[in-house]
Amino acid sequence: MKLTQPRRHGRRLIAIAGAMVLGISLFGTASASAADELDPRPDLTPGYQDPKAGEAASNIELLANLPREGAFNADPGNFSFVNSDLAFSGDNAIVGGYNGFQIYDISEPTAPDLRGSYVCPGGQGDVSVFGNLLFVSVEESRARIDCSLTAPVSERMMGVRVFDISDIDSPVQVAAVQTCRGSHTHTVVEDPDDPANVYIYVSGTAGTPRAASDLAGCSNTPSGNNPASFLDADGNPILTSSRFLVEVIKVPLATPADAAVVNKAYLFTDSTTGNPHGLWPGGNHGVGTQTTSTTDACHDITAYPEIGLAAGACEGNGILIDISDPEAPVRIDAVTDPGFAYWHSATFSNDGSKVIFTDEWGGGTGARCRATDPMNWGANALFDIVDGKMEFASYYKLPVPQSVKENCVAHNGSLIPVPGRDIMVQAWYQGGLSIFDFTDIENPVEIAYFDRGAINFPNANATTINLGGYWSTYWYNGNVLGSEIARGFDSLDLLVSEHLSANELAAAKEYLADEFNAQAQVSYEHAPSFAVVGSYIDQAERAGTLVGDKLAEVREHVATAEKLSMGKASKRALKAQFDNAIRKAGPANPDVVAALTALAATFA
């Protein structure tokens, strides 16, 4: 989230070296909805805590809501107490915020419990975990190294805090790494070849970098957004500004107190001239297009070390990054879009063949899901990744309008680990959460949602926005968990529906992780199970490749095998059932055959 509207710049168009510009109609195709015609979301009753707002849900159930309390509670709209992003460690959800962070025990999803609150002001406070370490972004100039608000300016902290959470009830700050533009967000990046260290990509979006007198090595010279200003008289790049780069922190896991900036990666460089200001210069794309922010930082970077790539949502561009050397990331592709105002965040598909970028049009504080708003503004843009290049496929936006009193735009989400499908749960601020299937990337479709009516406190004015809604909604170990800006912390349960079979939901719940950071993707691989086999059979039926007698026979053989597996049946009897199911599924259903073969091998 950005605190203010995206910065506006000159309207001059400049060609972008190495970037693709997407031209489309302002009236993009509307995304399909889980509820079709009789969707109740546009007409929900406003409210806050007492009385609460009306609620609407399709194929998902709210299990619990824990309102903000104590030092983290204030009237909606007070940014000093806003809830922000989420990370997970074991049975704990860590909720970042502008006043510090809170830890919730989520071992019982129907009854989560606030375990501890840690006041440490510093701005957005995005959080990530890695083993026994907690990383927290710090960007506001009011922040101090010791987490107080009384220390002198000389003790200012803008960068990334590192906490030891080996005793999660007593976090201890072990490092405070200062950076030139603070840290609006950050990304934990593993090096598969170096288990002794972990890297942090720092996304600092402070408008003006710190002066050298505040932090050595920082500079705002040259300033401004004219690309020509970043070349000298001989056409050589000027690399003195602390803008147009991503700072890379190296954290030795054995001695995290030694964490330090080890590289300043110029990811927006013009490949021909070396100009660091080499991507989108700011401004619109022509008549009737969006005004897009200047690309001088990344808002969010999502790393996927297993495929050697990261996706950077970098204000005016979406970029693809080679992270095979995590200390020295390199941009390999860039795109922009005439309907995007502010490239905000990114998510890969599990197989790494697709990437979704979000547009935070209005900075998260504006109503951008009104009936009059274009369906490709404030939306997601979905891309195929082909030979290291991004190819545009479609848009997805919340498929029903929200009121003028609701801040609403695309925001943070994560994949749901359903085998064989690409499904994402995503926060839309006061637009609630939307779960959509993008397996068919050209036709993403909503399959579930949860929404509340507009917050009507403290301002009851008919057109005044009281800031709230989901900052982040993520899937973690069987449930959807949400950080609600004003209403606190939510736990939700996804339900079986016409869009999601019992097998698919069971298989998703079987996948368990020790920790989770949305911007540090890892592949989910399902252990062989009857739920996984059933998922692929259900998908084959849905696709029409396994029907009629063959479908019935495959299901019968699998059901018999499952029953035999619970008793003292011989391996030979089990094998016969699997072999028969594989034969009946046939070559037209390779995923079903592969799942059956893998499961059969566990009984061999």
Side-chain angles (χ1 to χ4, degrees), residues 41 60 425-428 431-435 448-450 470 473 480 492:
R41 285 175 282 183
I60 193 169
V425 55
Q426 184 178 15
W428 290 80
L433 69 83
S434 177
I435 297 176
Y449 64 75
F450 178 79
Y470 285 123
T473 53
V480 172
L492 303 101

Side-chain angles (χ1 to χ4, degrees), residues 224-524:
N225 293 316
N226 181 1
S229 301
F230 294 82
L231 297 173
D232 66 18
D234 297 321
N236 298 312
I238 301 172
L239 302 177
T240 55
S241 173
S242 297
R243 297 169 64 207
F244 305 101
L245 53 80
V246 169
E247 290 168 289
V248 180
I249 297 172
K250 184 176 184 178
V251 183
L253 296 176
T255 56
D258 295 329
V261 175
V262 294
N263 187 25
K264 296 183 178 181
Y266 289 91
L267 295 178
F268 321 125
T269 301
D270 185 305
S271 59
T272 301
T273 66
N275 189 333
H277 188 357
L279 292 182
W280 186 250
N284 69 21
H285 304 255
V287 177
T289 62
Q290 182 65 271
T291 298
T292 304
S293 294
T294 299
T295 301
D296 76 344
C298 288
H299 181 279
D300 257 311
I301 298 173
T302 295
Y304 200 164
E306 290 167 78
I307 64 172
L309 295 175
C314 303
E315 301 182 322
N317 291 93
I319 68 174
L320 199 61
I321 308 166
D322 180 345
I323 58 169
S324 53
D325 179 357
E327 191 170 323
V330 177
R331 186 186 88 238
I332 58 175
D333 194 28
V335 293
T336 192
D337 187 302
F340 265 42
Y342 192 85
W343 293 70
H344 176 275
S345 53
T347 303
F348 288 99
S349 61
N350 188 54
D351 67 0
S353 68
K354 307 168 187 175
V355 64
I356 296 175
F357 288 99
T358 68
D359 171 24
E360 196 183 40
W361 173 35
T365 59
R368 296 295 185 267
C369 301
R370 299 160 295 188
T372 55
D373 292 326
M375 291 300 292
N376 61 316
W377 289 27
N380 300 331
L382 288 71
F383 295 82
D384 285 307
I385 301 174
V386 181
D387 297 328
K389 301 296 180 182
M390 293 179 284
E391 298 181 358
F392 173 76
S394 66
Y395 295 103
Y396 176 81
K397 187 173 181 178
L398 193 71
V400 295
Q402 299 286 308
S403 73
V404 297
K405 284 183 63 69
E406 294 172 286
N407 54 302
C408 176
V409 76
H411 213 234
N412 297 341
S414 74
L415 300 181
I416 297 177
V418 175
R421 297 176 68 181
D422 295 316
I423 297 178
M424 182 172 174
V425 55
Q426 184 178 15
W428 290 80
Y429 291 112
Q430 286 201 69
L433 69 83
S434 177
I435 297 176
F436 63 98
D437 182 337
F438 64 103
T439 308
D440 177 357
I441 193 171
E442 294 183 355
N443 297 287
V445 58
E446 183 178 67
I447 64 172
Y449 64 75
F450 178 79
D451 191 16
R452 294 179 170 102
I455 295 174
N456 61 357
F457 177 83
N459 299 304
N461 184 287
T463 58
T464 299
I465 293 175
N466 296 288
L467 189 70
Y470 285 123
W471 184 292
S472 303
T473 53
Y474 300 138
W475 176 275
Y476 180 68
N477 289 355
N479 289 91
V480 172
L481 290 310
S483 171
E484 220 282 4
I485 289 173
R487 293 183 172 104
F489 180 74
D490 283 353
S491 175
L492 303 101
D493 191 28
L494 189 57
L495 304 176
V496 172
S497 70
E498 62 181 306
H499 304 288
L500 189 71
S501 72
N503 286 313
E504 290 172 316
L505 183 56
K509 288 177 176 282
E510 285 178 351
Y511 177 78
L512 302 177
D514 294 327
E515 61 188 36
F516 176 81
N517 306 300
Q519 290 76 39
Q521 275 192 242
V522 296
S523 64
Y524 55 80

Side-chain angles (χ1 to χ4, degrees), residues 530 552-562 576-584:
F530 285 98
E553 290 174 12
V554 169
R555 289 198 187 280
E556 182 178 353
H557 287 305
V558 172
T560 301
E562 185 169 15
Q577 296 300 324
F578 284 122
D579 287 347
N580 286 331
I582 289 169
R583 186 176 66 256
K584 293 295 183 180

